[in-house]
């Protein structure tokens, strides 16, 4: 029950420009420069560090003002900045004749930010050795509580602050001080709670991006950046800056706490902000850069060690949960009546899940044991969950807030863990916990209203931080993540048992489960391989792309080639697929190639493991020919396939009638794919010849990757034709001009990309629905000129929705990640389906085909 500011105050707080204050703290200087080393922003105090007016630095090259040693060190660190958030350089002679400085450098967009401060000579220590020793000490600590206590003691020792705390966030953003170390005479905050508004959402997000923050002197004046931000000079994003100034609201907050300096180190567990190591000093405090770096490294080590400890504890509990699930399955499998025995279930789970009562809602009836709501309230609660909750474990420590009628029995059942144990309609196991009266000690009255600031649209932080006790009623002890995982294990176990009984064939269910595991394992293996391949394509393509547009075009074409090959394999139930199909698909992806591509030879089938490799090679050959070779002019291509018994298949690619060929001076990634993938992946051979009349290439695929289908001795000849979706005759932006479009898609990222494409095709507004119910509501409100439907939405399909659209005369297309045959087996042959992933041009062709058909029918 933490206090939160009013909505208006929170909006003001969340939009406060904490990363673009245009000021830094006065212990450091800041220089921002473009990629040619030209200085574009400087701090006003640069004269102290460079012995030159800051105005004189602007517009000049940074490397002309610093020593060769400093320039060498900065260049070396810049080389590894791409893989780090920032680099540190200690005790460097920045300017001859001036004291040495410590530097921090990082990229912010296109700018290189260099910050520096005077080197403190009082401490000579190697940061890595210190952190290693500190971490070694923590590994010996037996309990998690002592782990936290020992960490704050060590940070207190190396930083010299007066108070060091471990501050843990809960799921709502409220914080609690769970460990503390202080110097003599310093007030303790141990055990105090603080509302989420004390560290606003945007500040928590920044702590996740930049894990270290120093405020050296709360009372010190700040240093402005030159030139001032205006219409020409945008504000500088100082998110990753070590010297970024502090927002006035936070300065006032620290003053109210009587804090003179602070240091914060983020604790990140599983890529989420778990908490902070928060340090306070009564007066100004600036530990040396080396000590601060050691503290930052220690914070990272502490986070990893904490994550490891938490995961280790979770694994132990999950192992026990699986054992419990096995026992439940074994016993219920022999006696189905136990599924409705609440007392037996509570006894079974008592050692793993702390609860005071159990209710089982099954087949419209409630079975109760222990401290639970009334039977009537349990039934109404199950109906409420069935309407509002997804099919997952759900927990609350305040049941009345979820279902108001349960407030009548809050003393008996204030918290609940619900476990759905069937599909639709859902049955439930409900575990209840009694109300637990508790006292929360807040760091100040959480209900104290925010003080209005003197400036417009500004709030002032609260001034009182004296411990304030609040009695909490109507809540239970919360169910933990561990409890939820145990509940999930029970859910999976019981659903399996229920399915066995409903089938009445336990042996067949076991075999089906085993087959499913094999299929899942195989699918997981294949998906991982595909993701690894795509990741490699992304990386390698970026090395040769000259700009973003060419990168997107090259990468998109290669991914589309993989998708087409994958579709070919799935059509054959993951069996051998025709080699000719790869050429056919690739030629079909380009317009205007009718009659200019000939494939001669026997009917060759490729094994599934060879399809992706050959598809990438063919894609590169066709793409290169369209850009530079025979297909870029009026030429043509001949491909000849020969099979040799006991050896394999030989493929000869020959371009005729194109521009004169000149061998490239360098090999791009496309050339690497053509020349090396078949030898590497398939142990075959590849040879490319840049002949003046046209490019020629020979490939050999070993026998274990091909199958020669029986046919007539005379070789066949296949003319490769474009696909059935012809090139658009209407400019893409005119296809859906001023159209209201309905888009049904349940994947957010795919929906956003499709939405952009539809706008590019001229749509005036795209109405997005992620469920069939949302789509039907939109249809009831207005009419649409076009619709794009994902076939599989949630657990159903959009076929009924398509029927309604057809009856209303609304043109539509289907989109799917399944193969054509599977996706639209029950639909009309005239309906158009595009396969995921698709590009804008593919979508444009599909849209024109549907609109043309609709126009003809209307005419």
């Amino acid at each position: 029950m933490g206090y939160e500011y009013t909505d208006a105050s929170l909006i003001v707080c969340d939009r406060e420009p904490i990363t673009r204050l245009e000021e830094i703290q006065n212990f450091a200087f800041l220089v921002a420069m473009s990629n040619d080393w030209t200085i574009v922003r400087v701090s006003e105090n640069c004269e102290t560090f460079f012995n030159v007016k800051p105005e004189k630095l602007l517009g000049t090259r940074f490397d002309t003002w610093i020593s060769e040693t400093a320039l060498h060190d900065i260049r070396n660190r810049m080389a590894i900045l791409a893989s780090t958030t920032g680099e540190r350089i200690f005790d460097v002679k920045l300017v001859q004749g001036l004291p040495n400085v410590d530097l921090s450098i990082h990229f912010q967009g296109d700018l290189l930010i260099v910050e520096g401060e005077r080197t403190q000579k009082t401490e000579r220590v190697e940061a890595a050795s210190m952190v290693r020793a500190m971490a070694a000490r923590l590994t010996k600590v037996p309990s998690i509580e002592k782990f936290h206590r020992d960490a704050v003691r060590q940070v207190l020792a190396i930083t010299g602050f007066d108070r060091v705390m471990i501050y843990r966030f809960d799921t709502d953003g409220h914080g609690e001080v769970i460990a503390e170390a202080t110097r003599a005479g310093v007030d303790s905050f141990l055990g105090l709670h603080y509302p989420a508004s004390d560290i606003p959402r945007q500040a928590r997000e920044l702590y996740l991006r930049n894990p270290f923050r120093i405020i050296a002197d709360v009372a010190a004046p700040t240093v402005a950046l030159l030139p001032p931000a205006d219409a020409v000079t945008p504000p500088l994003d100082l998110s990753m800056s070590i010297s970024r100034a502090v927002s006035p609201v936070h300065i006032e907050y620290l003053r109210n706490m009587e804090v003179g300096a602070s240091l914060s180190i983020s604790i990140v567990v599983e890529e989420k902000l778990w908490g902070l190591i928060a340090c306070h000093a009564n007066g100004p405090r600036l530990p040396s850069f080396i000590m601060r770096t050691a503290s930052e490294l220690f914070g990272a080590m502490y986070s990893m060690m904490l994550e490891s400890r938490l995961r280790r504890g979770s694994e132990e509990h999950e192992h026990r949960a699986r054992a419990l699930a096995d026992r439940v399955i074994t016993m219920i499998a022999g006696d189905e009546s136990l599924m409705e025995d609440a007392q037996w279930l509570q006894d079974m789970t008592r050692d793993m899940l702390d609860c005071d009562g159990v209710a089982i809602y099954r087949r419209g009836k409630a079975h109760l044991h222990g401290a639970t709501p009334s039977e009537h309230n349990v039934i109404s609660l199950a109906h409420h969950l069935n309407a509002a909750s997804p099919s997952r474990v759900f927990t609350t420590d305040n049941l009345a807030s979820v279902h108001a009628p349960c407030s009548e029995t809050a003393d008996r059942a204030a918290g609940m863990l619900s476990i759905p144990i069937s599909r639709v309609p859902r049955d439930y196991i409900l575990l209840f916990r009694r109300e637990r009266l508790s006292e929360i000690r807040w760091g100040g009255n959480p209900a104290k209203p925010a003080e209005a600031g003197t400036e417009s649209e500004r709030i002032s932080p609260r001034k009182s931080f004296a411990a304030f006790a609040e009695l909490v009623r109507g809540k239970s002890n919360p169910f933990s993540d561990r409890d939820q995982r145990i509940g999930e294990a029970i859910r999976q176990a019981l659903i399996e048992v229920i399915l066995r009984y409903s089938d009445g064939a336990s042996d067949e269910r076991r075999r089906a489960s085993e087959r499913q595991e094999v299929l899942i394992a195989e699918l997981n293996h294949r998906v991982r391989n595909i993701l690894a391949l795509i990741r490699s394509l992304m990386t390698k393509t970026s090395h040769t792309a000259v700009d973003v547009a060419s990168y997107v075009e090259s990468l998109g074409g290669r991914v589309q080639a993989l998708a087409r090959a994958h579709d070919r394999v799935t059509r054959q139930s993951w069996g051998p697929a025709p080699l000719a199909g790869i050429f056919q698909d690739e030629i079909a992806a380009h317009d205007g190639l009718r009659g200019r591509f000939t494939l001669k030879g026997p009917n060759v089938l490729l094994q599934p493991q060879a399809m992706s490799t050959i598809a990438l090679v063919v894609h590169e050959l066709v793409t290169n020919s369209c850009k530079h070779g025979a297909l870029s002019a009026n030429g043509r291509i001949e491909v000849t396939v020969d099979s040799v018994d006991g050896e394999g298949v030989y493929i000869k690619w020959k371009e005729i009638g194109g521009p004169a060929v000149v061998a490239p001076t360098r090999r791009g990634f496309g050339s690497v794919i053509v020349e090396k993938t078949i030898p590497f992946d398939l142990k075959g051979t590849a040879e490319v010849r840049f002949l003046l009349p046209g490019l020629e290439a020979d490939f050999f695929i070993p026998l274990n990757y091909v199958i020669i289908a029986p046919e007539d001795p005379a070789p066949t000849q296949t003319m490769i034709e474009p696909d059935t979706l012809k090139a658009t005759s209407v400019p893409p932006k005119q296809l859906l001009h001023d159209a209201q479009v309905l888009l049904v898609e349940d994947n957010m990222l795919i929906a956003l990309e499709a939405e952009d494409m539809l706008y590019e095709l001229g749509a005036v507004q795209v109405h997005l629905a992620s469920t069939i119910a949302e789509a039907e509501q939109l249809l009831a409100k207005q009419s649409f000129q076009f619709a794009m439907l994902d076939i599989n939405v949630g657990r159903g399909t959009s076929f009924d929705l398509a029927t309604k659209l057809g009856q209303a005369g609304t043109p539509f297309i289907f989109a799917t990640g399944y193969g054509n045959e599977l996706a639209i087996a029950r639909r009309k042959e005239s309906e158009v389906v595009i396969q995921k992933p698709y590009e804008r041009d593919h979508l444009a062709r599909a849209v024109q085909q549907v609109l043309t058909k609709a126009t003809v029918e209307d005419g």
Side-chain angles (χ1 to χ4, degrees):
M1 289 181 62
Y3 167 73
E4 293 189 3
Y5 294 136
T6 64
D7 290 343
S9 299
L10 279 175
I11 291 172
V12 172
C13 194
D14 278 340
R15 72 185 183 201
E16 185 182 10
I18 62 174
T19 63
R20 290 175 169 83
L21 294 170
E22 289 295 288
E23 295 175 334
I24 64 171
Q25 299 178 61
N26 65 356
F27 67 82
F29 74 84
L30 183 145
V31 174
M33 67 193 80
S34 58
N35 55 14
D36 62 353
W37 292 80
T38 299
I39 299 173
V40 296
R41 303 294 299 278
V42 295
S43 56
E44 281 187 331
N45 62 348
C46 276
E47 185 173 4
T48 305
F49 296 89
F50 291 89
N51 202 20
V52 62
K53 295 288 186 182
E55 294 82 359
K56 190 174 181 180
L57 292 173
L58 289 170
T60 65
R61 286 179 59 93
F62 181 68
D63 52 352
T64 62
W65 297 102
I66 62 177
S67 68
E68 291 186 4
T69 301
L71 178 61
H72 176 76
D73 289 343
I74 293 174
R75 285 186 182 276
N76 282 345
R77 296 305 174 90
M78 285 176 63
I80 57 176
L81 266 182
S83 60
T84 66
T85 56
E87 282 296 312
R88 311 286 190 257
I89 307 174
F90 301 105
D91 199 15
V92 63
K93 178 64 68 177
L94 184 66
V95 178
Q96 297 297 337
L98 293 180
N100 286 11
V101 297
D102 297 325
L103 298 177
S104 172
I105 64 173
H106 70 275
F107 282 118
Q108 187 61 58
D110 294 331
L111 299 179
L112 176 67
I113 310 295
V114 177
E115 299 168 271
E117 61 187 85
R118 295 285 186 232
T119 300
Q120 298 184 35
K121 301 296 186 181
T122 55
E123 297 167 330
R124 305 294 295 178
V125 65
E126 209 278 311
S129 298
M130 176 183 292
V131 172
R132 189 161 48 245
M134 295 168 69
R137 177 183 174 92
L138 285 182
T139 58
K140 301 176 182 178
V141 175
S143 68
I144 193 72
E145 292 79 12
K146 191 158 189 319
F147 178 78
H148 294 315
R149 288 199 303 269
D150 206 52
V152 293
R153 289 174 57 200
Q154 294 194 64
V155 175
L156 184 78
I158 69 170
T159 62
F161 279 78
D162 299 310
R163 178 192 298 113
V164 177
M165 302 167 287
I166 300 291
Y167 185 87
R168 181 178 62 192
F169 294 109
D170 66 14
T171 54
D172 296 323
H174 306 314
E176 178 189 2
V177 180
I178 63 170
E180 181 185 57
T182 62
R183 302 198 184 279
V186 176
D187 293 339
S188 173
F189 291 168
L190 183 62
L192 294 184
H193 291 69
Y194 295 84
S197 49
D198 276 17
I199 303 180
R201 175 178 53 82
Q202 66 162 336
R204 296 196 295 272
E205 292 173 353
L206 185 55
Y207 276 125
L208 191 58
R209 293 177 57 202
N210 188 349
F212 191 84
R213 176 68 161 144
I214 180 72
I215 302 174
D217 187 352
V218 168
T222 57
V223 178
L225 300 181
L226 299 176
D230 54 24
V232 176
T233 304
L236 187 61
D237 185 351
L238 298 177
S239 298
M240 308 308 295
S241 167
I242 64 167
S243 62
R244 172 170 48 87
V246 189
S247 79
V249 173
H250 190 53
I251 288 290
E252 190 174 345
Y253 180 89
L254 293 175
R255 285 174 174 164
N256 292 345
M257 292 187 76
E258 299 181 352
V259 171
S262 75
L263 183 151
S264 302
I265 307 169
S266 301
I267 304 172
V268 179
V269 174
E270 294 182 349
E271 299 182 358
K272 296 180 181 178
L273 186 63
W274 185 92
L276 297 173
I277 301 176
C279 309
H280 290 164
N282 294 332
R285 176 65 184 160
L286 180 64
S288 71
F289 204 17
I290 290 180
M291 281 300 180
R292 280 156 35 214
T293 301
S295 301
E296 183 178 2
L297 290 173
F298 175 75
M301 291 293 296
Y302 173 84
S303 294
M304 289 189 292
M305 295 172 71
L306 175 61
E307 180 174 333
S308 176
R309 283 176 177 253
L310 295 176
R311 183 180 292 122
R312 189 162 59 243
S314 297
E315 289 173 351
E316 293 173 357
H317 289 300
E318 287 174 5
H319 177 75
R320 295 174 61 191
R322 285 193 294 270
L324 169 64
D326 290 342
R327 292 200 303 273
V328 170
I329 288 176
T330 301
M331 298 186 71
I332 294 180
D335 184 1
E336 186 181 5
S337 66
L338 293 176
M339 284 292 300
E340 299 173 356
D341 191 335
Q343 180 177 355
W344 170 81
L345 187 61
Q346 184 172 4
D347 291 341
M348 282 292 294
T349 59
R350 190 183 305 277
D351 292 340
M352 292 295 297
L353 278 171
D354 176 30
C355 65
D356 300 300
V358 172
I360 300 175
Y361 174 79
R362 189 168 185 231
R363 297 171 179 170
K365 296 182 179 180
H367 310 272
L368 313 179
H369 177 72
T372 69
S374 67
E375 181 177 353
H376 171 75
N377 279 348
V378 167
I379 293 174
S380 66
L381 176 60
H383 290 165
H384 176 71
L385 291 172
N386 210 12
S389 168
S391 57
R392 59 178 173 80
V393 173
F394 171 76
T395 68
T396 178
D397 61 354
N398 186 359
L399 182 57
S401 67
V402 175
H403 192 55
C406 290
S407 60
E408 304 168 1
T409 53
D411 58 328
R412 292 173 50 80
M416 176 193 69
L417 183 149
S418 72
I419 306 172
I421 56 173
S422 64
R423 292 180 178 170
V424 179
R426 297 188 185 100
D427 295 335
Y428 291 92
I429 291 174
L430 307 172
L431 308 182
F432 298 99
R433 286 180 177 174
R434 293 183 184 272
E435 176 186 66
R436 296 290 188 269
L437 295 179
S438 59
E439 183 179 89
I440 295 180
R441 294 177 62 238
W442 293 95
N445 185 351
K448 187 177 186 298
E451 310 257 350
T454 57
E455 304 173 18
S456 63
E457 287 198 348
R458 181 182 179 275
I459 59 171
S460 298
R462 56 198 177 89
K463 296 182 172 60
S464 173
F465 290 88
F468 177 87
E470 179 185 17
L471 186 65
V472 178
R473 303 188 64 99
K475 283 191 165 187
S476 71
N477 288 336
F479 288 91
S480 66
D481 291 341
R482 177 185 69 88
D483 296 332
Q484 293 189 55
R485 287 192 292 271
I486 294 173
E488 180 62 25
I490 294 174
R491 184 188 74 83
Q492 294 178 1
L494 292 182
I495 284 180
E496 183 175 348
V497 171
I498 291 170
L499 290 176
R500 287 180 181 180
Y501 276 114
S502 64
D503 277 359
S506 59
D507 289 343
E508 178 58 30
R509 179 65 60 184
R510 176 181 54 80
R511 288 192 294 270
S513 177
E514 291 173 352
R515 288 195 300 270
Q516 184 181 33
E517 289 179 2
V518 172
L519 288 173
I520 289 174
E522 178 64 19
L523 177 62
N524 183 52
H525 171 71
R526 292 174 180 172
V527 169
R528 286 180 178 273
N529 282 345
I530 291 172
L531 291 177
L533 177 57
I534 291 177
R535 180 177 180 179
S536 176
L537 288 177
M538 292 171 64
T539 303
K540 297 298 184 183
T541 302
S542 67
H543 291 170
T544 55
V546 295
D547 52 35
V548 173
S550 64
Y551 172 71
V552 172
E553 180 184 2
S554 298
L555 179 60
R558 287 162 181 161
V559 172
Q560 287 289 341
L562 287 176
R564 290 190 291 267
H566 182 76
D567 193 39
R568 284 280 176 182
V569 173
T570 55
R571 290 179 200 172
Q572 305 298 324
S573 301
W574 208 258
L579 170 64
I582 292 181
F583 289 97
Q584 183 177 357
D585 290 342
E586 195 58 43
I587 292 300
H590 296 77
D591 299 326
L593 302 185
R594 179 184 294 272
R596 299 173 60 194
F597 195 102
T598 304
L599 176 65
K600 299 178 181 180
N603 183 19
V604 174
L605 303 179
L606 290 177
Q607 297 289 4
Q609 58 268 40
M611 289 291 289
S612 295
T613 298
I614 302 302
L616 283 176
V617 171
V618 172
H619 170 75
E620 295 301 328
L621 288 170
V622 173
T623 300
N624 183 71
S625 183
C626 288
K627 290 182 178 180
H628 312 292
L631 299 180
S632 68
N634 296 317
R636 59 191 176 86
I637 292 175
E638 289 184 357
V639 175
T640 305
V641 178
D642 292 320
S643 63
V644 177
D645 291 342
E647 293 186 21
V649 167
Y650 291 86
I651 302 173
K652 183 178 182 61
W653 171 282
K654 185 175 182 180
E655 300 192 18
I656 303 168
V661 173
V662 178
T665 56
R666 67 180 185 89
R667 290 289 192 268
F669 181 49
S671 298
V672 173
I673 291 177
V674 172
E675 297 175 3
K676 294 187 177 181
T677 51
I678 290 178
F680 186 87
D681 291 349
L682 309 181
K683 309 308 178 204
T685 62
E687 180 185 357
V688 178
R689 296 181 297 279
F690 297 94
L691 304 179
L692 188 62
L695 178 76
E696 293 185 4
D698 294 333
F699 305 97
F700 169 68
I701 305 174
L703 186 62
N704 53 322
Y705 291 105
V706 295
I707 296 175
I708 310 301
E711 57 184 339
D712 297 334
T716 61
Q717 177 170 305
T718 304
M719 300 300 297
I720 307 297
E721 303 289 352
D723 66 0
T724 57
L725 296 179
K726 304 300 186 295
T728 60
S729 58
V730 179
K733 291 186 178 180
Q734 299 298 319
L735 285 173
L736 296 174
H737 180 65
D738 286 342
Q740 296 282 341
V741 178
L742 172 63
L743 171 61
V744 181
E745 172 58 64
D746 59 0
N747 182 287
M748 184 190 71
L749 294 180
I750 295 175
L752 292 176
E753 187 173 11
E755 186 179 38
D756 290 341
M757 293 181 187
L758 291 168
Y759 278 123
E760 290 176 8
L761 297 183
V764 67
Q765 187 171 6
V766 178
H767 301 261
L768 176 61
S770 61
T771 65
I772 299 299
E774 289 180 13
E776 290 178 340
Q777 290 173 3
L778 289 171
L779 281 177
K781 293 178 181 178
Q782 71 173 85
S783 60
F784 295 93
Q785 286 74 55
F786 191 79
M788 180 173 176
L789 311 177
D790 183 15
I791 290 182
N792 296 89
V793 183
R795 296 190 175 186
T797 69
S798 59
F799 291 145
D800 291 341
L801 188 65
T803 301
K804 293 180 181 179
L805 289 169
Q807 293 170 349
T810 303
F812 64 88
I813 62 172
F814 285 117
T816 183
Y818 293 92
N820 250 356
E821 294 81 357
L822 177 62
I824 205 153
R826 56 165 291 190
R827 301 298 300 177
K828 303 174 183 177
E829 293 183 1
S830 60
E831 292 173 340
V832 175
V833 182
I834 60 174
Q835 300 291 318
K836 300 176 184 177
Y838 47 81
E839 296 177 346
R840 195 206 67 173
D841 290 344
H842 301 148
L843 178 58
R845 297 176 193 175
V847 171
Q848 182 174 19
Q849 180 171 332
V850 171
L851 294 180
T852 301
K853 179 177 179 295
T855 301
V856 171
E857 291 176 350
D858 291 343

